[in-house]
Amino acid sequence: ETEDRMDESVEGAFVFEPTAGLYHDVAVFDFRSLYPSIITAHNISPESLQCEHDGCKKMTVPDREKYWFCQKKKAFLSRILEDIIVKRSEIKAAIKKRKIKDVMTVMLESRSYAFKTLANSFYGYLGFYAARWYCIECSDSTTAYARYYIGKTIDSAGRDGFKVIYADTDSCFLIRGGKSKDSAMEFMKSVNKDLPGLMELELEGYYPSALFVSAKGGE
């Protein structure tokens, strides 16, 4: 069985390849803990896969119509992961308060990094051939949802008048094109309004310019 698992694989993340060039007035957004938040928002766990509830069967994974997850009972892995994400958010809030007061935050930052490492390990664990709770369907569903949400974000940006110059897995680079920073924040809020569970698009930062170079051997 382990040998069979080693031959299995899943489709990876979506990548919007950039056109080489120099760009100005760039806003960068990324999803906070994308894979972990997807697992919790959609209750992805081996025992919740393909439950018997008729209502759940209608909520299939994007581009994976044979997969769905129970929405009536919180599953083991997604429940544990949600607790980790919430605890890390609380620690990050405490760090922010302490920095305002110029208080040492080394211990809290270490705890935050530990929770981040734990949270990010869940997706890899589901697809790890030797894992006790191995579930390639869960791993595949997680990346399918990731592609779906980054695709929706790119489409929304285009409708709001932003030009997407690059996107990869959980981040999106937009040219403001004369639009104000407030407009960029309104775009972020409109995306977040439709996101389930703990999923959230965050502002990474504004940059006066960004340079993308061509691949080695390219034009």
Side-chain angles (χ1 to χ4, degrees):
E1 183 178 350
T2 301
E3 289 178 353
D4 290 340
R5 290 178 179 182
M6 292 175 73
D7 290 332
E8 295 181 321
S9 62
V10 299
E11 184 179 349
F14 172 81
V15 177
F16 184 97
E17 294 286 355
T19 301
L22 179 64
Y23 300 92
H24 301 284
D25 293 328
V26 177
V28 180
F29 297 91
D30 61 16
F31 285 96
R32 181 185 66 180
S33 303
L34 180 60
Y35 284 1
S37 63
I38 284 174
I39 292 172
T40 61
H42 294 284
N43 202 31
I44 296 176
S45 192
E47 79 276 21
S48 64
L49 175 66
Q50 295 172 319
C51 67
E52 297 301 320
H53 304 123
D54 291 334
C56 299
K57 291 179 181 178
K58 298 176 183 178
M59 303 175 68
T60 58
V61 178
D63 296 326
R64 297 291 187 272
E65 286 73 18
K66 61 182 179 179
Y67 300 154
W68 67 87
F69 295 90
C70 183
Q71 300 301 307
K72 296 183 179 295
K73 182 180 179 181
K74 199 68 175 173
F76 172 63
L77 290 183
S78 62
R79 186 174 70 248
I80 298 299
L81 183 53
E82 184 171 306
D83 192 37
I84 291 172
I85 294 173
V86 170
K87 278 184 168 61
R88 182 171 182 242
S89 295
E90 292 171 351
I91 290 173
K92 289 177 73 175
I95 291 171
K96 189 174 182 179
K97 288 181 180 179
R98 290 197 176 195
K99 283 186 175 179
I100 292 174
K101 298 178 181 178
D102 199 26
V103 178
M104 289 284 289
T105 59
V106 174
M107 184 62 72
L108 287 177
E109 288 174 355
S110 296
R111 289 175 181 170
S112 175
Y113 184 74
F115 278 124
K116 178 181 179 180
T117 303
L118 277 172
N120 288 338
S121 72
F122 274 60
Y123 160 71
Y125 180 82
L126 287 167
F128 174 50
Y129 67 86
R132 180 182 294 272
W133 287 288
Y134 174 84
C135 183
I136 197 68
E137 297 88 353
C138 290
S139 182
D140 193 28
S141 297
T142 303
T143 55
Y145 271 119
R147 292 190 299 273
Y148 170 74
Y149 285 115
I150 195 68
K152 278 191 67 175
T153 302
I154 290 172
D155 291 341
S156 297
R159 288 194 299 269
D160 285 0
F162 297 98
K163 181 181 179 181
V164 178
I165 57 173
Y166 175 65
D168 182 5
T169 310
D170 63 351
S171 62
C172 191
F173 289 58
L174 312 177
I175 296 178
R176 288 196 286 129
K179 285 180 168 289
S180 66
K181 292 183 178 180
D182 288 340
S183 296
M185 294 302 292
E186 286 301 318
F187 158 74
M188 184 186 73
K189 291 177 182 177
S190 68
V191 171
N192 284 333
K193 185 174 63 176
D194 296 328
L195 292 176
L198 297 174
M199 292 191 66
E200 184 179 9
L201 188 68
E202 295 181 316
L203 175 67
E204 170 83 13
Y206 296 110
Y207 300 89
S209 57
L211 177 66
F212 288 93
V213 297
S214 61
K216 187 176 181 180
E219 295 182 4

